[in-house]
Amino acid sequence: MSAIHSEVDNIRAGIHSNGWWLGLIGPVLALTVLLYLSLMAALGSAQWRWDDTQILVSIIRLPLLDHFIDPGTWQSYSPANLTPWLLASYKIDLSLFGLRPTLFYLHQLLALGGVTWILYLLLRLWVERLPAGFGALLFVTGAPLAFMSQQLMTRHYVEGAIFAMLSLYWYVRYLRRAGSIKLLVSVAAFGLAATAKEIYLPLLLLLPFVPESHWRRRLLASVPFAAMVLIYSIWRAFMLGSLSGGYGTATTTLSPQLALTVMNSLTTLPALLLGSPALPFFSLVLLLSLYYFSRNPARLLPALVAAAGVLGPLLPLVLTPGITSPDRYLFLPWLTLCFAVALFADAALRSSRQASGSALLFAIGLLLLMPLPRAWSMRNEVLVVGREFDAQAVFIWENSSDTAYTPPANVLASYWFVQGLETLKSARGDTGLAPTAVIDPLFLDPDLSSLYEFNRDCLCFVDASASLPARRQGFMDRHRPNAPLSLSYSYLDRIFSWQAGPYDSGNWHFLSEQLGGLAPVPSRGELRLSLAEGGVLYLRYTSPEGWVTYSDGLVIRKQQQPTTWQRLGDR
């Protein structure tokens, strides 16, 4: 207990004589927990997952530089977002490691460790070693890291955070001690962060409020960052054809229901991040923040600017694709929260008395423990889904076109993964075509005699050929080929719009290799997509009673004018 009291006293007095170990314990523990949560999942038998295969196909087929400077090349990969650093990061791994996913995951872990370490260094510009280490450790115990350590496709969020924090770090160093090289490094890092993900651009808004030097100097130092944002805006408009982006469209994003939906979504963020401990966690954080701002009222405005800059980019995501888990969308909010809590804790520790300091350290310890259950739960949930992709990858590598299979549910919802994997198999020089995927009973070939399906118990594909007669009969019992169905659709300027009918309830799906296999959709909507000429689309309707009906195969043309397909039929 006396050691704890001594540390509190040292923090209050600003004494650094407690030794170098205090400066290392936070980051070391953070990296240890990071590896503990992620190493087995990422470096065991993990294969390519989610968007990995499409990213790899794009950088194998097309020059990397073209993804930065050629709109056609970039939009063939993604017309919705501009994140070429992600492809550059994969290209580095591909050049160093070839098609060996284990080493890609090692890079992912090192990048997450880099975020942790740089967060600590950034905090050390303003706070003592113990609260800086606490902020770094809190960051690692969060659910977003447990999620993202197993998803290579989130690399741009991770490395974008590294660039953004380095930019802020060298900006502060420049303000404290002039040097054009420091400012140049800061601006360059800011530019790299922008190529990773646009969510780091609002850093510009925070720079004039950084509590360093005088406001004129801060404002003048912010000018090259503003110029960088202007350059980025021109580049983005050139590459995407507009300044907007995302999966939805302007009419979707600005719909009247957005305000209520946004508010409801924002209120769920604490529970998404922490689960049941959200209330006590944020209650403690609120108390620390009230104390901090009571002593530093001038910092309330910068805090609000930072909060707006972090939460603002989430708003378009609320409707499409939705924020339903502590995944990459909550990575930056969690990182920012950990930074803020470290600032709050430092202020409280500096002014605490000996007895209250002990209680405060105990509360900080509780804060560190509260995110862990949610993080561990997320680690396991993502691991289970990841194993579906792993099994799918192994199955495609090891089988040829004379074998048919039904993809796992999570893979089926991300069918471009299968398409990319098939292309990679061909690029790798394997003989024989990939096995045949059956994405819906509609496509069960009458002559098919052999079928494999994913088994969750063994996390592998098993022979399900014996179930083929029952599958066919079950489908015939549910299928109503003459039921009424309609679809109005268009594909103009890479915006696919649709309205299905005539039913007010039930579930809708698109069956299309280009639209992601079996994709659940609302009865009406718009999506920003890159579709190849002549792709075939089926609409599937599933009634509340369980019967299904399908449209004909509809061919999608580029610049497809509004078209309506309809079957009157009998209900």
Side-chain angles (χ1 to χ4, degrees), residues 174-468:
Y174 169 78
L175 292 177
R176 290 183 178 181
R177 193 172 210 179
S180 56
I181 295 298
K182 296 174 185 175
L183 186 60
L184 180 62
V185 170
S186 179
V187 174
F190 180 69
L192 287 173
T195 68
K197 191 65 181 172
E198 70 279 353
I199 61 172
Y200 298 110
L201 288 173
L203 177 62
L204 170 67
L205 302 177
L206 186 62
L207 297 181
F209 297 99
V210 171
E212 301 288 340
S213 189
H214 52 81
W215 70 269
R216 288 187 182 86
R217 181 171 168 79
R218 296 195 301 269
L219 202 59
L220 185 61
S222 301
V223 170
F225 294 88
M228 184 64 73
V229 171
L230 177 61
I231 293 171
Y232 172 84
S233 300
I234 296 171
W235 175 57
R236 182 181 181 88
F238 173 68
M239 294 294 287
L240 294 181
S242 71
L243 285 175
S244 63
Y247 304 100
T249 64
T251 55
T252 302
T253 303
L254 300 177
S255 63
Q257 73 181 100
L258 179 61
L260 180 60
T261 305
V262 165
M263 292 304 298
N264 290 337
S265 180
L266 291 179
T267 59
T268 66
L269 297 188
L272 288 178
L273 283 169
L274 289 125
S276 56
L279 181 59
F281 180 91
F282 281 97
S283 297
L284 283 173
V285 171
L286 178 61
L287 290 174
L288 288 172
S289 67
L290 290 174
Y291 179 80
Y292 177 83
F293 289 118
S294 69
R295 297 181 63 88
N296 303 279
R299 296 187 181 179
L300 180 58
L301 178 59
L304 293 176
V305 171
V310 169
L311 296 178
L314 296 181
L315 301 185
L317 302 171
V318 168
L319 294 181
T320 306
I323 302 174
T324 58
S325 61
D327 56 9
R328 62 190 184 276
Y329 299 139
L330 299 188
F331 173 77
L332 182 57
W334 177 249
L335 176 62
T336 306
L337 178 65
C338 294
F339 182 91
V341 173
L343 289 179
F344 302 157
D346 178 74
L349 284 170
R350 285 176 182 271
S351 59
S352 63
R353 296 178 181 272
Q354 191 174 73
S356 60
S358 299
L360 185 57
L361 286 173
F362 178 74
I364 289 174
L366 288 179
L367 284 177
L368 285 174
L369 291 175
M370 288 180 189
L372 282 172
R374 178 66 168 166
W376 186 254
S377 173
M378 282 296 100
R379 172 197 179 276
N380 292 334
E381 286 185 26
V382 179
L383 180 59
V384 169
V385 177
R387 292 305 188 212
E388 293 186 21
F389 285 90
D390 297 342
Q392 181 70 88
V394 171
F395 187 82
I396 289 180
W397 288 140
E398 294 180 351
N399 290 276
S400 57
S401 57
D402 58 356
T403 304
Y405 70 96
T406 58
N410 288 291
V411 173
L412 193 55
S414 304
Y415 192 69
W416 50 82
F417 168 81
V418 172
Q419 296 171 301
L421 203 61
E422 293 170 351
T423 304
L424 285 179
K425 181 175 182 178
S426 176
R428 201 174 67 166
D430 290 11
T431 57
L433 299 175
T436 303
V438 180
I439 64 174
D440 188 88
L442 179 67
F443 304 117
L444 273 175
D445 191 320
D447 298 326
L448 186 67
S449 60
S450 177
L451 183 71
Y452 285 79
E453 67 178 0
F454 180 74
N455 185 290
R456 284 183 172 271
D457 294 331
C458 67
L459 298 175
C460 64
F461 280 82
V462 297
D463 192 343
S465 303
S467 69
L468 279 171

Side-chain angles (χ1 to χ4, degrees), residues 56-141:
L56 290 167
V57 166
S58 192
I59 60 176
I60 288 173
R61 283 180 167 176
L62 301 167
L64 177 62
L65 181 61
D66 286 0
H67 290 87
F68 284 82
I69 63 174
D70 179 57
T73 297
W74 177 256
Q75 292 185 37
S76 69
Y77 167 70
S78 172
N81 300 288
L82 185 59
T83 57
W85 177 261
L86 174 62
L87 279 71
S89 188
Y90 271 72
K91 184 68 173 182
I92 292 170
D93 285 357
L94 184 64
S95 300
L96 293 174
F97 312 132
L99 290 172
R100 289 180 286 180
T102 298
L103 296 177
F104 282 66
Y105 285 103
L106 178 60
H107 180 167
Q108 187 86 349
L109 286 175
L110 291 175
L112 287 167
V115 173
T116 307
W117 182 255
I118 296 170
L119 173 61
Y120 173 79
L121 292 179
L122 188 60
L123 282 166
R124 284 290 291 123
L125 292 173
W126 294 288
V127 308
E128 295 289 343
R129 292 185 178 97
L130 185 60
F134 158 69
L137 183 56
L138 180 65
F139 168 68
V140 173
T141 61

Side-chain angles (χ1 to χ4, degrees), residues 34-50:
L34 175 64
L35 292 175
Y36 174 72
L37 289 172
S38 310
L39 193 58
M40 289 185 63
L43 299 182
S45 58
Q47 299 286 327
W48 309 119
R49 299 170 176 175
W50 288 282

Side-chain angles (χ1 to χ4, degrees), residues 502-523:
Y503 308 100
D504 296 326
S505 59
N507 297 313
W508 304 90
H509 290 81
F510 285 145
L511 301 177
S512 169
E513 291 188 357
Q514 291 194 64
L515 291 176
L518 181 64
V521 294
S523 60

